[in-house]
Amino acid sequence: MSTIASGLLLIGLFLYVFWPDPNAEAQRNKTRLEYLRERRDNLYDNLRDLNFEYRAGKYPEEDYAAQRAALENEAAETVAEIDLLETQTLAAPLSAAHHSTL
Amino acid sequence: MPAFGSFSLLVALVLSAYSLLAGAVALRMLATGNRVAVSPERLAETARRAGIGSFVAATCAAFALVWAAFTNDFSVAYIAEHSNRALDIKYKFAALWSGQEGSLLLWAWLLTAYGFVLRVRHKVDVTLTAYASTILAGIQVFFFLLINFPATPFSLVQGPVPPDGNGLNPLLQYAEMVIHPPMLYLGYVGFSVPFAFALGALMMRYPGEKWIHITRRWTMVTWLFLTVGIFLGMHWAYNVLGWGGYWGWDPVENASLMPWLTGTAFLHSVMMQEKRGMMKSWNVWLIFSTFLLAILGTLLTRSGLVSSVHAFAQSPIGTWFWVFFVIVLAICIFTYILNRDHLKSEHHLESLVSRESSFLFNNLVLLVACLTILWGTFYPVLSEFFQGQKATLVGAYYNVIAVPIGVFLLFLTGIGPLLAWRSTSMRSIRKNFVTPSIAALVVAIGVIPFGVHPWTIVTAGEQGSFYAWITFTLAAFVVTAIFAEFFRGARVIQGHTGRSLLGSVVQLTRRNTRRYGGYLVHFGVVLIFIGISGQAFNQSKEMTMSFRQSMTIGPYRIQCMDFSQDSNANYDTEFALLDVYRNGHKVTRLAPELRLYAASQQPLTVVANHSTPAWDLYVIYAGKDAATGQPVIKAFLNPLVMWIWIGVLITILGTGIALIPNLSAALAAQRSRVTAAIPEEVVTAGKAGD
């Protein structure tokens, strides 16, 4: 009984591990653009939290204004870099297509 | 079945080793761009599957051991040592973790189970998960090596098979004991996952903080298991060990508390990294330390290095653990040195009065607590090494440091959420601190008539009442601050939606489950502190009681109505029947017992406890008076203990809420699912129709 169970376990696991899978997931490294988008979302979350806490009466006006300005500056810088990288990403295939047509 | 169990363990070891090697080679190929006959994606996929396969093999091994316990297969030495025929069926299941080899098998099985979930969910981030899976496979190899060679649970008895086993340790024959060790192990083992993600993220220089988002839920679940495990242990100690307390600063208790402290620090400080990109190195080291402390705790329990009521006997596997500990530490240090430039903070601390600084202080305090406990736990080993004489630090050492630290933590729990990120102005402090301070003042004065006299620290040199007074005062501050947070937020929701206040509180919580779940956890922690501070007013009394004789403790009168003995196949028992009166009215009948287990010849105290929110009347049968044959009854009056268990339940509830996705995130996910499900032409047509 033990021998049969052991044999079945071994064969089953061997087949499972080495059975060819044509759709093996691509191991791709994260790009800076993806990182910046995550960062932008995070900054927007922080801004939303700050606005909510301000409306709840937790912070005085001047504290709120200072914190909001700092977060907005940071978000603006991130969005600007995203725009730049997106433009470059779009431009690269267009440029390649242009060269191949020529 | 033992042969099948042994074979399954061997298969699990081979699969784990393959998962480690193939995973490492595939990741190296991806990093360097070198290709061989097999594509790295394909190789990594087989490594992932081998990891999943190791879970199947480990499950077969665990099943084989439990099966051996259920079928009374005493040819297996482990079963003969830890089970017997008369053992209740639920405790036969517990035999899996009642001894060294079985509990290591449980460790390994849980590790592969966590690995199974991680590997099945690999699409969340394929490369990062491949790193984490490979690191986890390395940890698996260590544990499967242990249970395949020096500590195999399937070794057979030498000579003739005994007709019956030695039975389970009586201390473990208690319902909670069936779940306490698995909970603790789930906590210990679970920290392997955030550790693997953190180390993997550092190795691959993962950009951004998404790995924290991925591991956040893992860390919270693990922390919850460890919390539940620790408090189940406390509840068990309180109800089974019969000394009237729930925490004895035993080395094994300490071993579970240390990773809990660093894990708690990590859960807090990680928010600074998510919100502001700060404390990256600190966080990485916190999670490394948490995992290393879990290993150190297991080493303490397993090696017989320190004496403890929980510890297993002296065993050679201590050396294995030391080697593993040193290897892991070396890998952590090496990886950190190699990639430390990747962990530069994006911001710096701008003000000492800010949310960041409160997290920083919280972390420092938790770390000081952890180091204090580490020093106390290892003191016997160090004193023996340096002075040639084993000296143990008693509870007083820990209390002198732990109590002020606990009080300071409670203070930080109160002020942290009231402070703003970056910096907090004086006006903001005045605005947020007034109401909680008034509540604290009212309680500080209000508890004095109830016997909480802080001045006894000066007049009588008693610290208990002083610390209890501070705890009650701070508890009022924290609870008011928490309720104010809920109230303020709910009012905003109410203003927008017109819902009731309660409905708005629910909506508010669903909007940011992590924050408001976290506040509930804080509330639970406050209740736990209140419960613990009741210790300052404990009373006890011991008396040999004859028939109808009474003793008085606090507001209760206890009258002995009967004492007798009984026996069954598993144990003999002596017990007393005690009627409890308050203000002349009978409130309950208690029946404390003293059992003697047949197989192991070990005694066990069965505590009788009448628990109310104000205090526990905790009674034990301490034995028979040799001269008169009458029962010796020991009664304790322990104030506020019930609040500890209520606080734990609220902590569990709060953590559970924090684990639920936010309403906005859930709606966004739902929207994207709906959009994905709708054919493109329908979406286009809909847009055109708009």
Side-chain angles (χ1 to χ4, degrees):
Chain A
M1 180 65 186
S2 283
T3 314
I4 294 168
S6 302
L8 286 174
L9 178 73
L10 191 64
I11 294 165
L13 287 176
F14 185 84
L15 288 177
Y16 173 69
V17 174
F18 295 107
W19 194 265
D21 178 8
N23 303 316
E25 292 291 328
Q27 314 275 322
R28 190 175 59 80
N29 281 333
K30 204 161 109 179
T31 62
R32 178 151 179 88
L33 193 58
E34 284 169 314
Y35 159 66
L36 287 170
R37 284 179 185 145
E38 276 170 22
R39 195 181 154 95
R40 177 195 59 193
D41 293 345
N42 196 24
L43 284 164
Y44 287 167
D45 278 347
N46 290 353
L47 265 167
R48 260 194 299 276
D49 279 353
L50 180 70
N51 284 337
F52 187 81
E53 290 192 325
Y54 170 66
R55 281 192 291 166
K58 201 165 163 181
Y59 305 128
E61 180 69 39
E62 57 269 30
D63 286 18
Y64 168 68
Q67 289 206 37
R68 190 183 163 136
L71 279 171
E72 281 176 348
N73 282 344
E74 221 174 306
E77 279 170 25
T78 310
V79 169
E81 197 179 342
I82 289 173
D83 285 346
L84 183 70
L85 286 174
E86 278 177 346
T87 316
Q88 284 171 355
T89 317
L90 280 172
L94 281 176
S95 158
H98 179 68
H99 283 294
S100 65
T101 317
L102 287 174
Chain B
M1 263 307 180
F4 176 63
S6 286
F7 182 75
S8 302
L9 282 184
L10 197 63
V11 171
L13 172 62
V14 171
L15 288 172
S16 302
Y18 177 79
S19 184
L20 169 66
L21 294 173
V25 170
L27 292 170
R28 182 74 193 149
M29 279 158 66
L30 282 165
T32 56
N34 292 334
R35 303 254 158 174
V36 286
V38 186
S39 77
E41 287 84 5
R42 176 82 194 99
L43 196 60
E45 177 61 12
T46 60
R48 184 183 75 87
R49 289 182 178 207
I52 292 174
S54 68
F55 167 65
V56 176
T59 306
C60 290
F63 171 78
L65 193 65
V66 173
W67 182 262
F70 274 93
T71 55
N72 296 316
D73 185 354
F74 299 119
S75 68
V76 179
Y78 181 82
I79 299 300
E81 191 64 38
H82 298 288
S83 184
N84 65 327
R85 291 181 190 278
L87 190 66
D88 192 290
I89 201 142
K90 63 176 177 286
Y91 298 128
K92 288 201 172 179
F93 194 70
L96 174 60
W97 52 83
S98 56
Q100 174 94 285
E101 297 84 357
S103 57
L104 284 171
L105 172 57
L106 179 68
W107 236 103
W109 179 72
L110 290 175
L111 190 60
T112 58
Y114 275 118
F116 172 77
V117 180
L118 179 146
R119 288 159 183 140
V120 165
R121 290 172 49 84
H122 71 297
K123 286 182 183 168
V124 68
D125 191 312
V126 178
T127 312
L128 180 61
T129 308
Y131 270 91
S133 166
T134 306
I135 292 162
L136 219 53
I139 304 168
Q140 282 177 213
V141 167
F142 167 71
F143 278 96
F144 283 117
L145 276 174
L146 268 183
I147 51 178
N148 268 285
F149 300 107
T152 175
F154 294 104
S155 58
L156 302 176
V157 290
Q158 302 295 313
V161 175
D164 202 355
N166 292 343
L168 186 68
N169 184 340
L171 290 173
L172 304 178
Q173 295 187 36
Y174 185 75
E176 277 168 41
M177 261 296 136
V178 180
I179 48 172
H180 161 62
M183 285 288 161
L184 266 187
Y185 285 128
L186 276 165
Y188 273 146
V189 180
F191 277 119
S192 311
V193 178
F195 166 77
F197 271 111
L199 187 60
L202 187 57
M203 280 176 172
M204 68 182 283
R205 302 171 70 86
Y206 190 83
E209 324 305 338
K210 197 187 164 195
W211 72 270
I212 288 176
H213 286 265
I214 297 169
T215 54
R216 183 203 292 159
R217 209 160 284 175
W218 284 101
T219 314
M220 279 201 282
V221 168
T222 299
W223 183 86
L224 180 63
F225 280 132
L226 194 58
T227 307
V228 173
I230 289 172
F231 281 97
L232 277 176
M234 283 169 68
H235 199 256
W236 166 79
Y238 188 59
N239 287 295
V240 172
L241 296 183
W243 57 280
Y246 38 78
W247 191 264
W249 297 110
D250 178 271
V252 176
E253 290 174 336
N254 296 350
S256 65
L257 188 60
M258 287 186 286
W260 185 88
L261 289 167
T262 48
T264 308
F266 176 74
L267 277 175
H268 284 90
S269 69
V270 88
M271 280 187 258
M272 287 166 71
Q273 186 166 345
E274 281 181 77
K275 285 262 182 194
R276 306 217 51 218
M278 293 168 72
M279 310 267 286
K280 292 182 181 179
S281 289
W282 178 267
N283 285 331
V284 158
W285 273 105
L286 268 183
I287 200 65
F288 287 175
S289 310
T290 304
F291 177 70
L292 287 166
L293 284 167
I295 295 296
L296 199 66
T298 316
L299 186 156
L300 273 180
T301 333
R302 310 287 157 179
S303 62
L305 194 65
V306 291
S307 317
S308 157
V309 286
H310 301 69
F312 295 90
Q314 192 85 32
S315 107
I317 67 165
T319 315
W320 286 67
F321 268 99
W322 274 121
V323 171
F324 180 62
F325 182 85
V326 171
I327 291 173
V328 174
L329 182 63
I331 290 172
C332 290
I333 293 172
F334 180 72
T335 312
Y336 176 75
I337 291 172
L338 216 60
N339 299 298
R340 66 185 186 284
D341 59 312
H342 177 65
L343 297 174
K344 276 190 186 135
S345 280
E346 290 157 29
H347 297 97
H348 296 285
L349 197 64
E350 290 174 25
S351 162
L352 270 179
V353 190
S354 61
R355 186 82 60 90
E356 291 92 321
S357 66
S358 81
F359 279 136
L360 190 65
F361 282 123
N362 150 299
N363 268 234
L364 288 174
V365 169
L366 285 166
L367 216 60
V368 168
C370 181
L371 291 174
T372 306
I373 295 168
L374 187 67
W375 173 255
T377 309
F378 272 92
Y379 190 76
V381 183
L382 296 172
S383 64
E384 190 174 29
F385 184 77
F386 289 110
Q387 298 169 348
Q389 197 178 342
K390 203 173 225 174
T392 306
L393 293 172
V394 291
Y397 156 78
Y398 295 100
N399 291 337
V400 162
I401 298 161
V403 174
I405 283 176
V407 167
F408 189 55
L409 265 180
L410 191 59
F411 170 69
L412 289 174
T413 308
I415 64 160
L418 300 179
L419 299 174
W421 291 98
R422 293 168 189 264
S423 73
T424 309
S425 67
M426 277 312 290
R427 222 178 127 199
S428 177
I429 290 173
R430 275 199 298 275
K431 195 177 169 92
N432 292 311
F433 279 58
V434 170
T435 316
S437 301
I438 292 170
L441 191 67
V442 169
V443 169
I445 297 165
V447 293
I448 289 172
F450 293 95
V452 185
H453 299 150
W455 53 83
T456 51
I457 194 168
V458 181
T459 55
E462 278 179 21
Q463 295 185 340
S465 197
F466 171 73
Y467 281 121
W469 178 77
I470 292 187
T471 304
F472 295 143
T473 306
L474 287 175
F477 183 94
V478 180
V479 171
T480 314
I482 291 169
F483 278 98
E485 284 288 304
F486 274 98
F487 182 71
R488 272 197 292 242
R491 286 291 295 272
V492 176
I493 302 267
Q494 200 177 21
H496 277 79
T497 62
R499 288 174 184 229
S500 67
L501 191 64
L502 188 66
S504 302
V505 167
V506 173
Q507 175 81 2
L508 176 76
T509 309
R510 292 186 68 192
R511 192 179 165 276
N512 194 340
T513 52
R514 190 185 180 194
R515 173 188 289 189
Y516 293 96
Y519 286 153
L520 261 186
V521 172
H522 282 186
F523 181 54
V525 169
V526 170
L527 292 185
I528 292 169
F529 270 91
I530 289 174
I532 292 172
S533 66
Q535 267 190 70
F537 311 100
N538 282 0
Q539 298 175 41
S540 67
K541 217 170 198 180
E542 188 173 315
M543 189 175 171
T544 303
M545 297 184 85
S546 59
F547 180 60
R548 289 206 173 273
Q549 195 176 1
S550 295
M551 77 162 139
T552 306
I553 183 164
Y556 295 111
R557 184 171 66 83
I558 303 167
Q559 187 172 33
C560 179
M561 301 308 291
D562 195 7
F563 48 93
S564 187
Q565 54 194 38
D566 199 358
S567 62
N568 61 32
N570 202 13
Y571 56 81
D572 299 326
T573 177
E574 290 175 13
F575 60 92
L577 295 178
L578 308 166
D579 282 350
V580 178
Y581 294 88
R582 189 175 179 195
N583 299 326
H585 300 288
K586 183 178 162 184
V587 288
T588 189
R589 168 170 281 195
L590 297 176
E593 274 184 70
L594 186 63
R595 291 178 184 171
L596 184 69
Y597 280 80
S600 60
Q601 286 296 300
Q602 284 189 46
L604 176 78
T605 310
V606 179
V607 174
N609 188 14
H610 174 62
S611 190
T612 69
W615 40 55
D616 280 14
L617 177 64
Y618 177 101
V619 182
I620 58 166
Y621 185 105
K624 255 186 197 166
D625 184 287
T628 61
Q630 290 165 346
V632 179
I633 301 296
K634 191 161 186 180
F636 296 83
L637 194 71
N638 298 335
L640 304 173
V641 174
M642 188 190 269
W643 294 102
I644 297 177
W645 320 128
I646 293 173
V648 174
L649 291 177
I650 291 174
T651 303
I652 294 169
L653 176 72
T655 315
I657 288 173
L659 284 166
I660 299 170
N662 288 340
L663 188 63
S664 54
L667 286 175
Q670 201 178 4
R671 272 199 298 275
S672 70
R673 272 200 301 275
V674 170
T675 313
I678 300 169
E680 201 181 335
E681 58 272 25
V682 178
V683 177
T684 322
K687 274 180 185 163
D690 292 341

